[in-house]
Every structure is written in structure tokens, then in C-alpha cells.
Amino acid sequence: MNVNRRISVAPMMDWTDRHDRYFLRQISRHTLLYTEMVTTGAILHGGVDRHLRYNDAEHPVALQLGGSDPDDLARACEIANEYAYDEINLNCGCPSDRVQNGAFGACLMATPDIVASCVKSMISTSDAPVTVKNRIGIDDQEDYPSLKRFTETVAEAGCKTFIVHARKAWLKGLSPKENREVPPLKYELVYQLKQEFPELEILINGGIKTLDDTEEHLKHVDGVMIGREAYQNPYILADVDRRFYGDDAKAPTRHQVVEAMLPYIEEHLKEEHGTIGHVTRHMLGLFQQMRGAKQWRRYLSENAHHKGAGTDVVREALSLVPEQDDEVLSA
């Protein structure tokens, strides 16, 4: 299975659920999208379909798993095969206390041998390629030597693709939010990793906010993963297909993106407990920096959770935004 990872949107807890991914897919046809992290426990002992189902329109889509037991990860991959994800990714970068207590996420950077065992087991059962998302290091680890050792060890187990968040994770003393902002970005270490391991596919992540920055990074690495900016300002993806995938098809306007979401929202409302807020919360940033953006956000925020709210709420919010999609407000 060949996955083009040139541009991707990072897995983000509480953000990149199936509704957000369907929405982002209306903006870019080619960007690789990731699920939120799903733990092996949730798959092995929870409602599998609730955690793994998605809309076929989301392809290419990757599943991110959280876990540290090779057997559990292998079983989770086996179950995930039924859902035909384009990639299975192992989380070795999340620093939250909940993840640490489960002995997975960023704390796995300290035990590359365990990660190697996990990856080997995952590859043995997964129909999709297995990748790893990690930090450049944790706590007091030496910067590059520990990253190199981790990469070497895991690559020997069969992993060919590493997505590297170019910040250290501090497991004690910093909150997950602070871990996304406080440790300095060291892009040069990720570049060095690619230089030293040219046979591996190396993607870079962390603090990337523009497509111009993305283009600069692609001079040094194989792919760029965009995180919070793609959520808060999703229309940043509108020029990705043309710029990075050679697709000259005209990008949809913001208004067209909203119109494309209406049938999807109507289908979601037919589900038990389905509300438009489940979907529209991901759409609030669509008109970022555009005339009417505040009115759009306010109307959806105030009305999406009313009992019986339907697509008429979205249409009304859209009517507050002039159809001047290329006219960006000056700062």
C-alpha cells in the first residue's frame, strides 16, 4: 500500500474525529488525515465500531494507536484491518499524564527496544504500513544521540517512516499544552536525521503555520505534518493539492465547503444522539480572517446546541458571511 505523506494533518485529541476529517477532506483531496489517538484498550475492550468507523470519503486516512504491549498492539492492528485504514501509526510523542500512566506515548522514547518490539508485532498483523510518531527526545536525554538511537533501533524492527515532532517532551513539570509550546523547536535535528538516514521517510511536525514554511521544510525532509493551524485555520489546506500534489483542479470556495457539508450533517442527525454541534464545532475557523468570520462563529456557537437545531442553523450562519472568499481582512 503506497501512502503519499507529503502533507498531513496531525492526530489531535478531541479534534481530529471523523466529523473533522470529513470536513477537512472537502478542502483538500490529497492531504493525509489522522485519527485521534485510539488506545489498544479501547479497541480490545470497548466499542470497536465507535472508535474505528469512518466515512470512505476520508481516504487517505491513518489510524493512530496508543499502547506499549506488543501483543495488544498486534491484536488491535488485526481488528483495524477490517476497516482498511491507509496506515497504522504508533504514538510515541504524547506527554499527557493519562498516557504516561498507561506507559505509552512520549515515555516510550526512553525504551526504544520496547517500541521496536511493538512495531515488529504490529507489522506482523497489519495490512497497512506501520509508522511511528515521536518527539526529538524527552527530559534530560541528549538531543541528537538519543533521537538517532531511537530511530536506528525502531528502523531495524521494520519501521520505514518516522514523524518527528521537533520538540522535546518534558514528562514532569509541563502540562500537555505547555509541552506543545515551551520546549524550543529544533528543526535542524530532524533535518540531520534525514541526512543520516536517507533511506528512511522522515516527516517533520511542530509549530508549522504556513504553506511557505511547509515548502521550506520540504527542502530537507520528505513530508510535513501540520497540527493546530490546520484545525484553527482549516482553509490553509485549500492550496495544498495544487502546490504539493500537482493537482490543478480548482479548490472549493469556503461557501462551497459549507454547502458540501450540509448533506453530511443531515445524515449525522439521523444517528442516535447526533447533533449539528458534533460537526459544526470543527467548522468554526473556516472563515478565519474573512469578513463575517466573527458572525459565523458566534451564530454557530450560540445556536448549534439548541434542541432540534438542523442545517437551517448552518445556512443562516453562512448568510452572515459575504461571498468574497479571496478577500482577506488586513491585520
Side-chain angles (χ1 to χ4, degrees):
M1 191 184 295
N2 187 24
V3 184
N4 189 328
R5 302 181 182 85
R6 193 162 170 79
I7 308 295
S8 58
V9 173
M12 292 177 279
M13 292 299 291
D14 299 322
W15 285 6
T16 52
D17 64 14
R18 61 191 174 95
H19 305 307
D20 180 51
R21 298 192 305 268
Y22 187 91
F23 165 59
L24 295 179
R25 184 58 69 219
Q26 308 314 304
I27 303 173
S28 167
R29 289 173 293 280
H30 301 290
T31 301
L32 175 61
L33 304 176
Y34 281 76
T35 69
E36 305 168 271
M37 182 188 67
V38 183
T39 65
T40 53
I43 294 174
L44 300 179
H45 309 297
V48 173
D49 202 55
R50 178 165 62 91
H51 291 293
L52 296 185
R53 72 185 169 111
Y54 61 91
N55 190 295
D56 282 343
E58 293 173 39
H59 285 291
V61 60
L63 168 66
Q64 187 183 65
L65 290 178
S68 58
D69 181 277
D71 292 337
D72 285 352
L73 283 161
R75 287 169 59 207
C77 286
E78 209 163 16
I79 293 168
N81 286 339
E82 299 172 27
Y83 291 82
Y85 280 93
D86 297 289
E87 171 190 319
I88 307 290
N89 177 264
L90 179 62
N91 184 324
C92 296
C94 181
S96 78
D97 291 339
R98 186 167 67 86
V99 168
Q100 288 183 58
N101 291 337
F104 55 92
C107 62
L108 287 173
M109 294 289 298
T111 55
D113 290 334
I114 290 176
V115 177
S117 296
C118 290
V119 163
K120 196 169 183 179
S121 290
M122 292 168 71
I123 290 172
S124 72
T125 61
S126 176
D127 292 341
V130 173
T131 67
V132 167
K133 186 172 190 295
N134 55 279
R135 295 283 184 131
I136 55 174
I138 54 171
D139 300 334
D140 293 317
Q141 284 183 334
E142 298 172 275
D143 280 359
Y144 188 72
S146 60
L147 176 61
K148 178 183 176 182
R149 188 163 54 249
F150 177 88
T151 306
E152 276 179 327
T153 305
V154 179
E156 284 172 9
C159 182
K160 302 301 180 192
T161 301
F162 293 82
I163 304 153
V164 187
H165 186 147
R167 282 188 176 95
K168 268 191 172 182
W170 290 91
L171 302 182
K172 302 295 180 188
L174 291 182
S175 69
K177 181 178 186 296
E178 289 169 331
N179 261 303
R180 291 192 298 267
E181 298 168 354
V182 174
L185 285 160
K186 296 187 177 180
Y187 295 133
E188 69 278 4
L189 298 187
V190 187
Y191 298 166
Q192 186 178 346
L193 194 69
K194 177 60 188 176
Q195 288 173 351
E196 196 154 349
F197 297 93
E199 73 283 5
L200 297 178
E201 184 179 27
I202 304 295
L203 284 67
I204 198 166
N205 169 233
I208 299 163
K209 296 188 175 182
T210 71
L211 296 189
D212 286 345
D213 290 344
T214 296
E215 206 158 88
E216 283 301 309
H217 286 303
L218 286 171
K219 295 175 182 177
H220 305 280
V221 293
D222 301 300
V224 170
M225 176 178 275
I226 303 171
R228 282 167 291 163
E229 190 66 20
Y231 189 85
Q232 294 163 347
N233 181 24
Y235 202 68
I236 187 179
L237 300 178
D239 202 32
V240 161
D241 294 355
R242 180 194 66 81
R243 200 160 166 178
F244 302 107
Y245 292 92
D247 185 342
D248 290 328
K250 189 170 168 48
T253 66
R254 292 170 173 86
H255 278 252
Q256 287 169 340
V257 169
V258 176
E259 293 288 347
M261 290 300 295
L262 296 176
Y264 178 86
I265 293 171
E266 286 170 356
E267 280 302 306
H268 177 61
L269 288 174
K270 295 175 185 176
E271 295 182 15
E272 188 178 5
H273 307 305
T275 72
I276 69 164
H278 293 152
V279 183
T280 58
R281 73 186 184 96
H282 301 300
M283 300 168 61
L284 296 178
L286 179 61
F287 292 95
Q288 187 89 327
Q289 293 185 298
M290 304 297 295
R291 301 182 188 282
K294 287 181 182 176
Q295 292 90 328
W296 161 261
R297 287 195 304 268
R298 184 184 301 122
Y299 194 88
L300 283 182
S301 298
E302 290 176 355
N303 295 281
H305 299 287
H306 289 169
K307 189 174 181 180
T311 51
D312 55 315
V313 169
V314 184
R315 292 181 190 279
E316 186 61 34
L318 189 61
S319 73
L320 301 173
V321 187
E323 288 197 60
Q324 298 175 311
D325 291 276
D326 296 324
E327 186 181 339
V328 179
L329 287 174
S330 57

